Amino acid sequence: MENCRSCVAIAGADYCVIAADTRMSTGYNILTRDYSKICKLADKCVMASSGFQADVRALQKQLAARHLIYQHQHNKQMSCPAMAQLLSNTLYYKRFFPYYSFNVLGGLDNEGKGCVFTYDAVGSYEKVGYSSQGSGSTLIMPFLDNQLKSPSPLLLPAQDAVTPLVEAEAIDLVKTVFASASERDIYTGDKLELVIINAAGIRREYMELRKD
Amino acid sequence: MVKPAKGTTTLAFIFKEGVMVAADSRASMGGYISSQSVKKIIEINPYMLGTMAGGAADCQFWHRNLGIKCRLHELANKRRISVTGASKLLANILYSYRGMGLSVGTMIAGWDETGPGLYYVDNEGGRLKGMRFSVGSGSPYAYGVLDNGYRYDMSVEEAAELARRAIYHATFRDGASGGVASVYYVGPNGWKKLSGDDVGELHYRYYPVMPSTVEQEMVEVTGA
């Protein structure tokens, strides 16, 4: 039943990288090698979801509709933190019949700093510097912790938690991480889709992964 | 039927100067640590705190909802809601969802006109007023330290240190607790975060490594 398996997001001082592989599978079968799990919700806000893709599609439609209403009422795009809370509430409203969707939300906040929000299936969320979801996450997270681990935002006196990497380094890290995950996770592979958001706008990059 | 424990450690107690609230920051999904930086002490409003134990989404959502209801009460009645009132609002909501699988073990701590207030509220609809509570899988360990060191007339620093130590000891022995030990104080002027310490560092602060004499030194073995 579970369709799609790995996604990652990393936030930097003035950029955000969101990435997911493009393999869609059911059981041991691959349904397609060219499926995008990344959805642009607002100008500076992008969501990547792993899990059951029918629920993911329904969730994306819901959020797009709510965003349109917001634009009509407020005459501006939703900011990433606002969209983050909307996503959390949307997920929780189906608390007793959840969206089987494990999301990461990435984008720039109102000051242009990168932000990443990570969710569970029923809407609990947290702003973090980096995150991964899906079956590949148990392989990817320890590696990201090793490379990117920053002081916890809960520490007092506060320590700055921005990822020290520049955009090019972060992109390189994501590519490395997926290449490794494809080696050991059967559900990850085929192609990597990267979405990079910075002050200049949004751009997409692709990289081939193992097809076996 | 034995209730499955909520993987966390939170505690709160009332003392002479106010209420002390502390929690760890680990979130676990089965055996996997999904986050080491979860905010388990939720700021409902500037003079009231709620702690999170159980389902993260359940606690986050219903505490936010409680904050909204408290604000509506202020607007409708032109005065702040009491801790008694706020905890009752939450308890009634959770009671109406009884049996549907919510997992919430929370403490509402605050300072209102009657002084410091502390209530324990859970997903069965239970609501208890008390002076000392600890919730979560690490609570037995925290209670051991807390009950031993508690005195009503402590200073703020002593109480903070007691709370911090209790959380540290719980994270030491309980696998489902860890991360950062946060300590908040609620006084007549509202809440204030006193400290956030990584429990790994607390360990070496409480039990520093003593240099000891070497019994045997390793030497290079010449090739056979």
Side-chain angles (χ1 to χ4, degrees):
Chain A
M1 193 248 311
E2 241 220 279
N3 289 162
C4 288
R5 306 301 185 121
S6 297
C7 49
V8 162
I10 298 179
D14 59 352
Y15 65 88
C16 186
V17 179
I18 301 99
D21 68 327
T22 59
R23 172 176 289 178
M24 186 188 203
S25 45
T26 166
Y28 284 136
N29 300 319
I30 295 177
L31 293 172
T32 176
R33 298 189 190 276
D34 200 9
Y35 185 81
S36 174
K37 297 168 205 159
I38 303 182
C39 171
K40 180 179 143 177
L41 296 175
D43 247 2
K44 300 278 180 183
C45 186
V46 164
M47 177 174 83
S49 316
S50 59
F52 181 52
Q53 289 301 305
D55 274 353
V56 168
R57 273 276 180 254
L59 182 61
Q60 288 169 355
K61 278 181 171 177
Q62 257 281 59
L63 294 171
R66 288 300 305 274
H67 185 226
L68 195 56
I69 294 171
Y70 182 96
Q71 286 179 80
H72 287 147
Q73 290 177 343
H74 296 91
N75 200 23
K76 64 174 186 179
Q77 296 264 330
M78 266 179 110
S79 67
C80 200
M83 185 59 85
Q85 184 146 315
L86 176 63
L87 175 54
S88 169
N89 284 329
T90 309
L91 292 169
Y92 198 82
Y93 285 147
K94 274 174 67 73
R95 167 68 174 77
F96 299 116
F97 184 14
Y99 288 106
Y100 195 84
S101 161
F102 300 92
N103 313 294
V104 287
L105 195 79
L108 302 179
D109 63 16
N110 289 323
E111 286 129 43
K113 269 180 69 172
C115 55
V116 167
F117 296 89
T118 186
Y119 294 79
D120 69 3
V122 276
S124 114
Y125 77 116
E126 200 197 337
K127 179 161 185 278
V128 287
Y130 59 91
S131 174
S132 78
Q133 292 282 354
S135 66
S137 73
T138 44
L139 297 167
I140 294 172
M141 262 322 243
F143 184 67
L144 291 180
D145 281 334
N146 178 266
Q147 297 292 307
L148 297 175
K149 180 114 203 248
S150 46
S152 170
L154 298 174
L155 289 173
L156 192 74
Q159 293 175 31
D160 196 23
V162 176
T163 304
L165 296 183
V166 298
E167 190 183 302
E169 288 174 326
I171 294 171
D172 207 51
L173 181 63
V174 168
K175 289 179 177 173
T176 312
V177 141
F178 268 93
S180 305
S182 312
E183 298 283 332
R184 291 289 180 176
D185 180 25
I186 59 173
Y187 300 112
T188 303
D190 291 333
K191 204 166 65 176
L192 172 65
E193 182 185 9
L194 288 123
V195 171
I196 302 111
I197 308 179
N198 53 25
I202 300 188
R203 73 172 200 281
R204 260 168 227 263
E205 268 185 42
Y206 294 93
M207 185 185 92
E208 296 297 318
L209 296 171
R210 286 185 71 115
K211 303 199 182 314
D212 60 358
Chain B
M1 200 184 81
V2 178
K3 257 197 313 192
K6 302 165 164 105
T8 190
T9 310
T10 59
L11 60 84
F13 57 89
I14 292 180
F15 66 114
K16 182 185 67 177
E17 308 276 356
V19 196
M20 201 57 80
V21 184
D24 74 319
S25 69
R26 176 174 287 187
S28 40
M29 282 183 359
Y32 182 69
I33 297 173
S34 48
S35 175
Q36 287 272 62
S37 56
V38 176
K39 271 193 78 171
K40 294 192 189 177
I41 299 180
I42 299 163
E43 298 140 9
I44 298 170
N45 60 42
Y47 56 96
M48 217 184 305
L49 295 173
T51 60
M52 179 201 290
D58 292 334
C59 290
Q60 272 185 10
F61 184 88
W62 290 112
H63 277 126
R64 198 185 310 138
N65 186 275
L66 180 64
I68 292 169
K69 288 208 161 63
C70 289
R71 179 69 183 136
L72 287 172
H73 176 101
E74 273 181 35
L75 292 169
N77 298 94
K78 278 194 177 176
R79 53 185 264 175
R80 284 179 177 171
I81 193 170
S82 62
V83 182
T84 316
S87 60
K88 192 82 178 183
L89 279 177
L90 183 62
N92 286 152
I93 293 168
L94 295 176
Y95 183 79
S96 65
Y97 283 98
R98 207 175 125 100
M100 295 177 79
L102 290 185
S103 174
V104 173
T106 183
M107 296 177 285
I108 306 292
W111 187 290
D112 58 28
E113 291 158 350
T114 62
L118 178 62
Y119 283 83
Y120 164 76
V121 178
D122 71 17
N123 52 276
E124 323 240 278
R127 174 173 165 266
L128 297 173
K129 184 172 157 74
M131 296 288 277
R132 293 205 290 286
F133 287 112
S134 175
V135 183
S137 56
S139 64
Y141 308 107
Y143 270 130
V145 175
L146 181 59
D147 290 339
N148 184 44
Y150 177 83
R151 280 181 351 264
Y152 181 74
D153 48 359
M154 284 189 285
S155 68
V156 174
E157 290 77 31
E158 286 176 316
E161 186 53 29
L162 177 66
R164 197 175 304 124
R165 258 219 127 106
I167 294 288
Y168 157 73
H169 279 284
T171 61
F172 187 69
R173 286 291 178 182
D174 177 31
S177 302
V180 167
S182 303
V183 180
Y184 281 67
Y185 164 66
V186 190
N189 301 321
W191 58 259
K192 182 171 178 324
K193 181 161 182 176
L194 293 182
S195 70
D197 299 289
D198 185 289
V199 297
E201 279 167 39
L202 282 181
H203 175 82
Y204 291 107
R205 209 193 298 170
Y206 294 142
Y207 304 104
V209 179
M210 292 298 172
S212 54
T213 51
V214 166
E215 292 157 8
Q216 265 194 327
E217 259 191 56
M218 268 175 38
V219 292
E220 283 288 328
V221 174
T222 50

